[in-house]
Amino acid sequence: MSWITTASRLLLLVAASAALGWFYGYPREAVIVVLLAWIGTWLYQMQRLQLWLKNTGKPPPGAFGSWDELYAPIYSQQRKNSKENAQLQSTVEYLQDSFAAMRDGVIMVDQHGAIQWLNRAVEPLLGLRHPEDTGQTLTNLVRAPEFNQYFLSRDYRKPLQYHAIGDNRSSYLRVDVTHFGEGERLLFIRDISSQVRLENMRRDFVANVSHELRTPLTVISGYLSTILDNSQELPQRYVRPLQQMDQQAQRMESLLKDLLWLSRIESEKLEDERELVDVRALLQELKDELSEAYKDATIELNIEADDKVYGDYRQLYSAVSNLVFNAIKYSPAGSTVTINWVSQDNKLLLQVCDKGIGIDSSHIPRLTERFYRVDDSRNSETGGTGLGLAIVKHVAVAHAATLEIQSKLGEGSTFTLVFPNSASTQS
Ligand code: ADP
């Protein structure tokens, strides 16, 4: 019913009461009484409506006129809402049931850092109590400083991996955090101890095998060089095979050297050897050494930054020398290799650029894998070990840097070590 109808009814009532009142000689009083009665009825209906709204879910009480028409749409909206709520509730329960059944720990945290919900698997991982710790501030309950620092940083682009030492257990945990809703966070905690143990075993195995192979190989190549030093006394038909054996022995030696160096970088704690590395001096030393070794290549230095980097001098030296060595190897004789040390967008870039043979883009994502080769024939020609870029990548990771590779087949390549500014300091 529209407000015009309601207003017309009120006018009609006022007119009728005025007419009746005039007939009895009290027109004004009659109108006032009728208006008061009208207001009283409306107040009564409003109170009923309020009461009914408080007890949601009940069918509307009977009313008359426009009031009756008001109840109907409100009631139908209420029923729709409660149906949607029930659906939402069952979805939430379903999700909670599936999270509860997971073997990984799951925690939901509100925007203030208080635990909204957690599953039972969190108990042994973080030492929380399920469900008693619901409502508590997460960082007040977890004792690991790495965890709390990571959680409070709100930078969850990379997962956290840390060694958790509890009262009677020690494990490696991986924590993934996702933002959702309005500032809420969802945490997944996984025990990765067995993966870490396997990885350590693999690393130790490679290091031990390389170490054990080194001694016999040194003896073999020692004898081979001595024999070849006196090659004029040898029957001619043995000279070529012995030269090839010597070449391969040398190749194996550099392979073992790289393998040992790689496992050392992987297991070394950078903090032990950390110092302020003067990148300018490092690059100058490297240029002098490589220019001497590769006389037909030109190495150009372009140093625009004065920053030093907190890190390990030997590791950084080996990473850049691998990059420059590759740039020379994979470029035609006599070409120029440029090394840039520049500051850009709050980051420090160490670039090695060449105008060599380049790499097809399909190979780029896999280049830093151990022994990955773009072309096997190309490799045997150059005598590489296939470990150079793996070493560079590990050095980058140990220095919180990233390795970016840009290359175009036939045009050349640029390998960039990108250091965050926090890894450095201005001299
Ligand atoms: P390798 O000892 O074979 O050089 P690396 O790990 O150093 O091993 O490099 C992996 C592969 O990447 C190389 O085999 C080569 O095909 C390619 N590569 C690396 N650097 C360059 C470069 N500057 N130009 C072209 N190809 C390159």
Side-chain angles (χ1 to χ4, degrees), residues 326-327 329-330 354 357-359 367 372 374 378-379 384-389 413 415:
N326 277 350
K329 255 194 319 188
Y330 300 111
D354 66 63
I357 56 176
I359 309 154
L367 280 188
Y372 185 80
V374 170
R378 186 202 274 195
N379 210 268
T385 62
L387 292 172
L389 291 180
S413 317
F415 288 76

Side-chain angles (χ1 to χ4, degrees), residues 39 44 81 118 152 169 201 217 250 304 312 356 396 405:
I39 292 168
Y44 170 68
N81 285 352
L118 72 168
L152 295 173
R169 57 177 271 145
M201 274 165 65
L217 196 62
Q250 277 175 27
E304 288 174 21
D312 183 318
I405 306 171

